[in-house]
C-alpha cells in the first residue's frame, strides 16, 4: 500500500536490533485516516472470506482492529497479555514472547468472545518472527473458530515469520513488506 510505505519512509525511525519505530502514526500517536485506508484494503482482499470477527493483541493492534471491524461490520476482540499465569477455565490462553520487549506473556481471550461460529481475521501492527501471530492462531484453534487469514500493517520481510506463515497455507496480507532497512534507508518488497 503506497501511502503506508510513504508514511514509513517519511516518519519511521530505524533502531538497533531490527526495530522500526512508527510512534508518530501507529504505535503511540495514531492516524485513523490511514487506519481507514488500511482497513479498506483488507476488506477488498478478504471480501469473499465471510469474516465476522476481528482478533488482535493488546496494545498496538487495538486501534487498527477497531476500524477494521467497523469496515467488516463486525466486532473486534483483543487478546489480553498477562504476566501472571491465569488458568481461568473461562478463557483460552497461550504464551507469546514479545519481539520488542523479550518477555513471555500469557495471552488470553474469553470463551464468550471467540467461539466456533466465528470466522476470524487476525490483525496486527507488525510481523517479525511470527510469535504473536502463532499465538493468536492458537487461540482461534482452541475456540474451534475458522481462520480466514491474517492482515499485517508492516511485515519485516527479512525476518522469518511471513515465510513460515505463508508456507503453512495461511492467507497473509501485509500492506507493507520491508526487504531491508538501515541508516541508508528502507526498501520494500514489490507486491
Ligand atoms: P513477532 O511475534 O512476529 O516476532 O513480532 C510481532 C510483534 O512484535 C508485534 O505485535 C509488534 O508489536 C512487535 N514488533 C515486532 N517488530 C517490531 C518493530 O520493528 N517495531 C515495532 N514497533 N513493533 C514490533
Amino acid at each position: 500500500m503506497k501511502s503506508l510505505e510513504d508514511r514509513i519512509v517519511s516518519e519511521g525511525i530505524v533502531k538497533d536490533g531490527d526495530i522500526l519505530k512508527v510512534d508518530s502514526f501507529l504505535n503511540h500517536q495514531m492516524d485513523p485516516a490511514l487506519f481507514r485506508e488500511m482497513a479498506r484494503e483488507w476488506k477488498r482482499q478478504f471480501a469473499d472470506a465471510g469474516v465476522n470477527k476481528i482478533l488482535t493483541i493488546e496494545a498496538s493492534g487495538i486501534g487498527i482492529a477497531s476500524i477494521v471491524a467497523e469496515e467488516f461490520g463486525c466486532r473486534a476482540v483483543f487478546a489480553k497479555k498477562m504476566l501472571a499465569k491465569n488458568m481461568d477455565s473461562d478463557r483460552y490462553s497461550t504464551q507469546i514472547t514479545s519481539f520488542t520487549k523479550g518477555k513471555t506473556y500469557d495471552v488470553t481471550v474469553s470463551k464468550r468472545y471467540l467461539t466456533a461460529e466465528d470466522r476470524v481475521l487476525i490483525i496486527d501492527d507488525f510481523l517479525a518472527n511470527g510469535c504473536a501471530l502463532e499465538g493468536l492462531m492458537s487461540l482461534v484453534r482452541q475456540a474451534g473458530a475458522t481462520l480466514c487469514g491474517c492482515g499485517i500493517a508492516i511485515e519485516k520481510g527479512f525476518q522469518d515469520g511471513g515465510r513460515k506463515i505463508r508456507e503453512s497455507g495461511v492467507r497473509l496480507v501485509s500492506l507493507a513488506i520491508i526487504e531491508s532497512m538501515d541508516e541508508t534507508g528502507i526498501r520494500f518488497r514489490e507486491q
Side-chain angles (χ1 to χ4, degrees):
M1 197 179 106
K2 177 78 170 58
S3 51
L4 177 60
E5 291 181 356
D6 289 347
R7 191 67 72 88
I8 293 167
V9 168
S10 62
E11 298 184 25
I13 300 167
V14 178
K15 295 281 193 186
D16 286 346
D18 288 333
I19 302 271
L20 176 68
K21 289 210 82 152
V22 286
D23 282 4
S24 62
F25 63 91
L26 203 160
N27 288 132
H28 190 13
Q29 180 171 254
M30 295 182 285
D31 181 345
L34 180 66
F35 292 2
R36 174 71 61 191
E37 246 190 280
M38 290 159 53
R40 289 197 174 128
E41 181 55 22
W42 284 314
K43 178 75 199 301
R44 193 179 68 76
Q45 298 221 27
F46 288 98
D48 59 347
V51 172
N52 65 7
K53 184 69 58 79
I54 305 299
L55 173 66
T56 190
I57 181 166
E58 68 177 355
S60 296
I62 296 175
I64 308 172
S66 96
I67 291 185
V68 175
E70 195 190 358
E71 202 61 45
F72 280 88
C74 68
R75 296 191 185 194
V77 60
F78 60 91
K80 295 188 174 217
K81 286 179 187 162
M82 300 182 181
L83 273 176
K85 188 120 188 99
N86 183 332
M87 295 304 282
D88 187 342
S89 62
D90 293 342
R91 300 182 155 268
Y92 300 112
S93 74
T94 188
Q95 288 201 327
I96 290 179
T97 300
S98 159
F99 177 80
T100 43
K101 300 199 175 66
K103 282 184 187 154
T104 298
Y105 296 90
D106 287 315
V107 173
T108 78
V109 68
S110 166
K111 289 182 180 175
R112 272 211 251 172
Y113 304 131
L114 196 59
T115 72
E117 281 71 53
D118 287 328
R119 296 184 57 80
V120 179
L121 175 62
I122 295 175
I123 292 289
D124 204 8
D125 58 346
F126 272 89
L127 173 58
N129 295 321
C131 187
L133 279 192
E134 300 282 358
L136 291 170
M137 290 192 288
S138 161
L139 295 175
V140 171
R141 276 195 301 275
Q142 290 175 49
T146 303
L147 179 66
C148 298
C150 303
I152 292 291
I154 305 172
E155 175 179 337
K156 291 184 291 179
F158 53 87
Q159 293 176 286
D160 222 19
R163 186 189 56 76
K164 282 190 293 193
I165 285 161
R166 289 189 182 90
E167 278 178 11
S168 75
V170 170
R171 196 165 161 194
L172 169 63
V173 175
S174 300
L175 301 182
I177 305 182
I178 297 176
E179 278 298 5
S180 65
M181 57 182 202
D182 53 33
E183 60 289 343
T184 65
I186 298 172
R187 286 154 293 273
F188 297 95
R189 188 178 299 171
E190 294 280 343
Q191 329 192 48

